[in-house]
Amino acid sequence: MKVLKFGGTSVANAQNIKLVLDIVLNKAKQDKLVVVVSAFTKVTDLLVLASQKAASNDESFKEVVAEIEKKHLDAIKELIPVSEQSGSLSHIKRIINHLETLLDGCFLLGELSPRTSDTILSFGELLSSYIIAEAFKQHHKNSGYKDSRELIKTNNNFGKAAVNFEITNPLIADYFASNEAQIVIMPGFIATSIDGIGTTLGRGGSDYTAAILAGALNATELEIWTDVNGMFTANPKIVKQAQPIATISYQEAMELSHFGAKVLYPPTIQPVLKKNIPILIKNTFEPEAEGTYISNQNTSHANPVKGISHIDNITLITLEGSGMIGVAGSSKRLFEVLSHENINVIFITQASSEHSICIGILNSDAEKAENAINKAFQQEISQNKIDPCIVEKDLCIIALVGENMKNHQGLSGRMFSTLGKNNVNIRAIAQGASERNISVVINERDVKKALNTLHENFFEENTKQLNLFVMGVGNVGEKFIEQISQQKKFLKENLKINVRVVAVSNSRKMYFDEDGIPLKEWKSLLENGEPADKDAFIAKVKTLNLRNSIFVDITANQSVSETYGQYLKQNVAVVTCNKIACSSAYDNYKKLKNLSRQFNAPFLFETNVGAGLPIIDTLKHLIASGDKVNKIQAVLSGSLNFIFNNFDENNSFHDVVKEAGVQGFTEPDPKIDLSGVDVARKILILIRESGYQLDIEDIANRSFLPEECLATTNNEDFFKSLIKNASHFEGLLAEAKAKDSRLKYVATFENGKASVGLEFIPKESPFYNLEGKDNIVQFYTDRYIDQPLLIKGAGAGAAVTASGIFADVIRVGNI
């Protein structure tokens, strides 16, 4: 014999009940079956609502009853032929009339006792089981119905009655010994006390009913049919990559179900565990799916962790003080207080010093617990031997569960390290001697990040998901997204990095998609997004609180650069090609670097100097290995190099500058490049990364632009000034030819001093043959004295800049 239980979603309506009929009728060809059913979805909630309204003298409870009645009458009309409906409809109306009578009593008395509440709540299962039993009669003549209240006997603890197995088991065994029906339908959740009063078995009681029956009948298997494909490695609603668990032990299942895996009610396991009856969790809507098989068989697997679960709405209460050290019975007194208040302790940890003891309880019990504990220890508190208890609400317990975790070293460290890297603060830790469960208490707002981070580490072949928030999608930004789209598959397969763009923004619009923006549609989605707002963008990043978050700044905007600190403080990495932050006041530069270290959030800006060239990265390695930079000489502006390489008698200075803008080599405001400000920022960043303290004002800027050009306030006037001053630029070109030299804009740092300016470069210089938009940097160090370390290559352009940003993103992924 097998026992099958179908939950509320499985019997939500006539359509779903037809699926149940197919599953059961198919199984009944081979086995005798007991089928336990829950109330229709939401009906128990409606019964609670109706009883509360009635007890509050709110006549609208009648509307709720009408909704309940309609739901069940509609099901009958779809499941039972018209010619045979009258009896069923009359029966349902009689049950509803009985319900109304009880609620009328609550309304008149203005109260709702636990006993009455249990009786009212039982109507959900009574209605559903009757309708389902009648539906089965239409398809299987040898099917019947039995009221669970006649077989399952409990005490009078209304709301969560304890089963008396000494009476219950013989009643079940005797009934089924003489029952010849192939299929017996029974309501879950409900029972009666020994003296015949209606009771309920608590949350998840239908699971429990099925397990009680399976245990009493020595069933070959207990099947729990629900709306998911078994128990998952994590809550699939929070962790999209969660996977069904094929096999699991009773103990592991109990741990996971206790910690919120709602597909199984924890007490369910007890009656079948004693009899070694396996449990199979299946999906009513995907009956062909494998499901989860729970037994006492060895479920060893390469991965010692079977699942990650959590409990929300936790309060941490800490009792501490010197008056607890060496004093016997402090813990006993604490737990007695909580027991007297009927408060369930979910989590316990105590320091070996005995100075403090910490417990986790539900938020709803926090105030009651705080008052009771402070009252019980009032004398010690008044003598300053013990402090008033510390109460921290809105927390969550995360649990790592696995039978074989005890045989693997380093799992705790791996768990804590994974959370720490994502700035998830652990408030308390508990691990039993069985090592089957490692539990930590964290802030509730970090739950999603913590679960996804841990799941990624323990179940996804160590694939690291990077969540990108991209601000600035012009030429460079567009190339950047294009490169991500192109390389996404390669990164996932070869580097185990899964890159998702979660947000994009330009100066007008911004668009977010927590599950990742489809990269082929990002332009249209952005165009239809919400109005761009820098502060709202930051707020959304904080609210989403995604693991491995990276803010990517592809703007040249100062106000955007001023937000980096807010991201770093939230453990959000910052990758930027915007040079303003790192060339701002030295104190701000150091502050950002310190925040990066403090909050374990990478701050990378390789493209600040040399676009995609590995200049800063090389410099970092030199300094880290103990070398010292003594001198830097460089051509750091790809745009200026392009301009002076193409400026000749046939191409005016104005036209070449215009073309550089079209090619994407200059900043949106080309004067930033031509005034030398951009180069000054770049050499300043290299100087700072070399370990020297300097500010932008300390760099001598020998501008080659006439004052009239420098004084312009917009691009239109600037370009007009270039035409007006054409003779000035032609004179520079003529002078270079006369000296048999080429014009290059050079940045120099030596002996603590820095300068930038236009220079006439002779043929023997390595800078002379620098073509196109190339950059070149020479580092003279303690190790590279006579022959400098030289880095040369394309230093401007949308594609190479985007590739440099992309490389920084990958660096974050490899950290």
Side-chain angles (χ1 to χ4, degrees):
M1 179 177 286
K2 289 185 177 180
V3 178
L4 281 63
K5 178 264 176 178
F6 291 89
T9 51
S10 298
V11 295
N13 49 47
Q15 183 180 353
N16 291 4
I17 292 170
K18 288 175 183 177
L19 297 176
V20 172
L21 286 169
D22 289 341
I23 292 166
V24 173
L25 291 172
N26 186 50
K27 285 183 173 288
K29 295 173 184 176
Q30 297 171 340
D31 297 287
K32 291 187 73 172
L33 305 176
V34 181
V35 179
V36 178
V37 296
S38 298
F40 290 2
T41 295
K42 303 277 175 74
V43 167
T44 302
D45 291 338
L46 290 172
L47 289 167
V48 170
L49 179 63
S51 59
Q52 289 172 344
K53 284 178 176 287
S56 302
N57 298 118
D58 182 349
E59 289 193 355
S60 65
F61 77 85
K62 293 178 182 178
E63 296 172 11
V64 180
V65 173
E67 183 180 348
I68 295 170
E69 181 178 14
K70 182 178 185 304
K71 187 183 284 280
H72 291 89
L73 293 178
D74 287 348
I76 286 175
K77 290 171 184 176
E78 284 194 55
L79 292 169
I80 297 171
V82 176
S83 59
E84 300 179 35
Q85 283 179 10
S86 59
S88 298
L89 293 172
S90 299
H91 184 82
I92 293 299
K93 286 184 177 293
R94 282 195 297 274
I95 295 177
I96 294 294
N97 289 338
H98 185 193
L99 172 62
E100 283 184 320
T101 301
L102 287 171
L103 291 169
D104 283 336
C106 293
F107 181 84
L108 293 171
L109 293 171
E111 69 174 21
L112 177 67
S113 69
R115 173 176 171 175
T116 303
S117 177
D118 265 14
T119 303
I120 291 170
L121 294 183
S122 70
F123 279 82
E125 274 70 18
L126 290 174
L127 288 164
S128 66
S129 59
Y130 171 78
I131 292 170
I132 292 167
E134 290 300 303
F136 267 104
K137 288 179 183 177
Q138 306 302 316
H139 301 275
H140 199 293
K141 293 182 179 180
N142 193 18
S143 65
Y145 173 82
K146 184 63 176 176
D147 190 336
S148 303
R149 295 177 298 180
E150 297 175 17
L151 302 180
I152 300 176
K153 300 300 176 180
T154 69
N155 63 9
N156 285 325
N157 184 20
F158 300 106
K160 191 177 181 181
V163 176
N164 186 322
F165 285 97
E166 291 183 3
I167 298 175
T168 298
N169 284 347
L171 286 173
I172 294 171
D174 289 347
Y175 171 76
F176 281 96
S178 58
N179 183 277
E180 295 183 359
Q182 189 73 8
I183 303 169
V184 177
I185 312 300
M186 298 182 68
F189 180 61
I190 61 175
T192 53
S193 65
I194 296 167
D195 48 359
I197 300 168
T199 58
T200 60
L201 302 178
R203 182 183 66 84
S206 291
D207 283 359
Y208 195 28
T209 300
I212 292 165
L213 291 165
L217 295 171
N218 292 309
T220 56
E221 193 171 80
L222 167 61
E223 295 183 7
I224 306 290
W225 289 80
T226 180
D227 57 357
V228 292
N229 292 337
M231 299 187 85
F232 277 68
T233 49
N235 186 338
K237 292 180 181 177
I238 299 175
V239 180
K240 304 294 184 188
Q241 293 80 21
Q243 310 147 13
I245 303 170
T247 59
I248 192 170
S249 72
Y250 290 124
Q251 289 76 16
E252 289 169 329
M254 278 195 287
E255 292 280 4
L256 285 174
S257 60
H258 172 68
F259 278 88
K262 295 180 175 59
V263 295
L264 189 65
Y265 181 52
T268 299
I269 298 173
Q270 288 297 342
V272 293
L273 186 149
K274 293 177 182 177
K275 299 287 186 73
N276 195 22
I277 299 168
I279 303 173
L280 182 60
I281 300 175
K282 296 277 284 179
N283 189 344
T284 304
F285 308 99
E286 289 184 46
E288 69 284 352
E290 186 178 0
T292 298
Y293 188 78
I294 305 170
S295 69
N296 67 350
Q297 294 176 6
N298 188 337
T299 61
S300 60
H301 189 267
N303 189 349
V305 178
K306 270 298 172 71
I308 307 163
S309 203
H310 73 289
I311 306 176
D312 289 323
N313 304 314
I314 294 296
T315 291
L316 208 59
I317 294 185
T318 304
L319 188 67
E320 63 182 19
S322 58
M324 295 175 64
I325 301 173
V327 177
S330 296
S331 300
K332 176 177 178 289
R333 287 173 61 194
L334 173 62
F335 292 116
E336 277 183 346
V337 168
L338 297 169
S339 177
H340 290 154
E341 296 293 332
N342 200 28
I343 295 171
N344 183 38
V345 177
I346 301 168
F347 177 98
I348 306 167
T349 183
Q350 182 172 15
S352 58
S353 65
E354 298 183 313
H355 181 261
S356 67
I357 185 167
C358 188
I359 58 166
I361 60 174
L362 292 175
N363 283 341
S364 55
D365 290 328
E367 186 177 350
K368 184 166 59 170
E370 180 182 12
N371 293 334
I373 293 169
N374 286 340
K375 184 177 179 182
F377 290 89
Q378 186 174 2
Q379 184 175 349
E380 289 89 343
I381 292 171
S382 65
Q383 295 171 351
N384 294 320
K385 291 181 179 180
I386 293 178
D387 299 328
C389 62
I390 302 166
V391 179
E392 300 170 82
K393 289 187 176 181
D394 301 324
L395 302 173
C396 171
I397 299 174
I398 299 279
L400 216 62
V401 173
E403 186 72 37
N404 295 305
M405 288 185 354
K406 59 191 172 190
N407 300 320
H408 289 74
Q409 294 179 338
L411 288 178
S412 298
R414 187 173 161 191
M415 179 185 191
F416 304 150
S417 173
T418 300
L419 294 174
K421 284 179 180 178
N422 275 273
N423 206 35
V424 176
N425 186 36
I426 296 173
R427 295 290 305 110
I429 301 166
Q431 181 174 4
S434 69
E435 297 185 47
R436 190 181 292 128
N437 178 319
I438 306 170
S439 302
V440 298
V441 178
I442 64 171
N443 195 302
E444 204 161 66
R445 70 182 180 85
D446 290 326
V447 169
K448 184 171 185 178
K449 181 197 284 188
L451 287 173
N452 277 278
T453 301
L454 289 171
H455 193 274
E456 182 179 82
N457 192 286
F458 286 98
F459 291 101
E460 296 174 40
E461 296 182 355
N462 231 9
T463 297
K464 192 171 188 177
Q465 180 174 289
L466 304 181
N467 295 294
L468 273 52
F469 299 83
V470 182
M471 186 168 285
V473 283
N475 288 340
V476 177
E478 185 172 345
K479 288 288 183 185
F480 173 65
I481 293 175
E482 185 181 300
Q483 289 173 8
I484 290 173
S485 180
Q486 178 185 322
Q487 291 298 105
K488 191 175 176 67
K489 184 179 179 183
F490 173 86
L491 292 176
K492 194 166 186 180
E493 291 178 355
N494 294 276
L495 299 184
K496 301 299 180 186
I497 295 174
N498 179 26
V499 180
R500 296 193 317 171
V501 177
V502 175
V504 288
S505 177
N506 57 25
S507 59
R508 298 177 297 102
K509 298 279 190 175
M510 61 183 189
Y511 180 77
F512 286 79
D513 186 337
E514 185 178 350
D515 296 325
I517 296 171
L519 297 185
K520 291 183 179 179
E521 305 169 29
W522 73 267
K523 287 184 181 179
S524 60
L525 292 169
L526 177 60
E527 195 59 37
N528 294 299
E530 57 189 297
D533 183 315
K534 176 166 54 67
D535 294 329
F537 193 93
I538 295 170
K540 185 72 172 177
V541 174
K542 289 180 180 178
T543 301
L544 288 175
N545 196 24
L546 299 176
R547 68 194 188 280
N548 307 321
S549 292
I550 306 174
F551 173 64
V552 183
D553 178 14
I554 316 180
T555 74
N557 188 291
Q558 179 166 339
S559 65
V560 174
S561 74
E562 291 169 353
T563 65
Y564 295 171
Q566 296 183 60
Y567 289 107
L568 294 171
K569 286 177 182 177
Q570 296 296 318
N571 184 240
V572 176
V574 173
V575 168
T576 180
C577 63
N578 186 342
K579 291 174 278 292
I580 295 174
C582 289
S583 60
S584 62
Y586 183 79
D587 288 345
N588 185 57
Y589 163 81
K590 288 302 291 182
K591 178 185 175 185
L592 293 175
K593 296 282 245 179
N594 290 334
L595 287 173
S596 173
R597 284 189 290 270
Q598 181 182 349
F599 292 96
N600 196 31
F603 175 40
L604 300 179
F605 41 90
E606 182 66 68
T607 47
N608 277 196
V609 182
L613 293 176
I615 297 172
I616 292 176
D617 194 51
T618 302
L619 179 55
K620 284 180 178 178
H621 288 306
L622 285 176
I623 302 302
S625 65
D627 205 353
K628 180 185 178 185
V629 175
N630 302 310
K631 179 181 176 182
I632 304 172
Q633 281 187 314
V635 173
L636 293 172
S637 175
S639 54
L640 285 174
N641 200 43
F642 175 87
I643 289 166
F644 285 114
N645 280 336
N646 289 279
F647 172 40
D648 55 29
E649 295 85 352
N650 301 316
N651 297 287
S652 72
F653 192 76
H654 166 273
D655 290 348
V656 174
V657 173
K658 273 279 189 183
E659 180 61 23
V662 171
Q663 296 284 345
F665 298 152
T666 65
E667 298 285 351
D669 177 2
K671 191 170 69 172
I672 293 173
D673 294 284
L674 273 69
S675 67
V677 171
D678 188 59
V679 176
R681 287 172 176 165
K682 290 177 179 179
I683 191 67
L684 177 62
I685 292 167
L686 292 182
I687 292 165
R688 288 175 171 178
E689 289 296 297
S690 299
Y692 296 93
Q693 182 173 337
L694 224 65
D695 276 308
I696 195 77
E697 297 80 11
D698 302 322
I699 299 174
N701 186 347
R702 304 186 306 275
S703 178
F704 66 90
L705 289 178
E707 284 297 324
E708 184 180 353
C709 298
L710 289 170
T712 58
T713 57
N714 57 67
N715 285 0
E716 184 180 353
D717 289 344
F718 178 71
F719 280 109
K720 285 180 181 178
S721 74
L722 294 183
I723 295 172
K724 188 175 180 182
N725 289 277
S727 60
H728 167 76
F729 303 113
E730 290 165 1
L732 291 172
L733 182 63
E735 185 177 353
K737 288 204 169 188
K739 293 179 178 179
D740 199 19
S741 300
R742 298 182 76 176
L743 292 169
K744 301 292 178 185
Y745 203 87
V746 180
T748 305
F749 171 72
E750 189 174 11
N751 297 324
K753 294 184 178 180
S755 65
V756 296
L758 192 64
E759 295 184 10
F760 298 97
I761 303 299
K763 286 185 176 180
E764 60 270 20
S765 170
F767 293 0
Y768 183 86
N769 290 314
L770 199 64
E771 299 297 335
K773 57 183 181 297
D774 284 1
N775 279 189
I776 187 170
V777 180
Q778 294 183 138
F779 290 115
Y780 292 84
T781 73
D782 286 352
R783 295 174 189 158
Y784 295 88
I785 301 170
D786 300 322
Q787 294 294 325
L789 174 63
L790 188 146
I791 303 170
K792 179 182 176 183
V800 293
T801 303
S803 70
I805 297 166
F806 199 178
D808 271 350
V809 168
I810 294 169
R811 285 187 184 97
V812 174
N814 287 326
I815 291 174

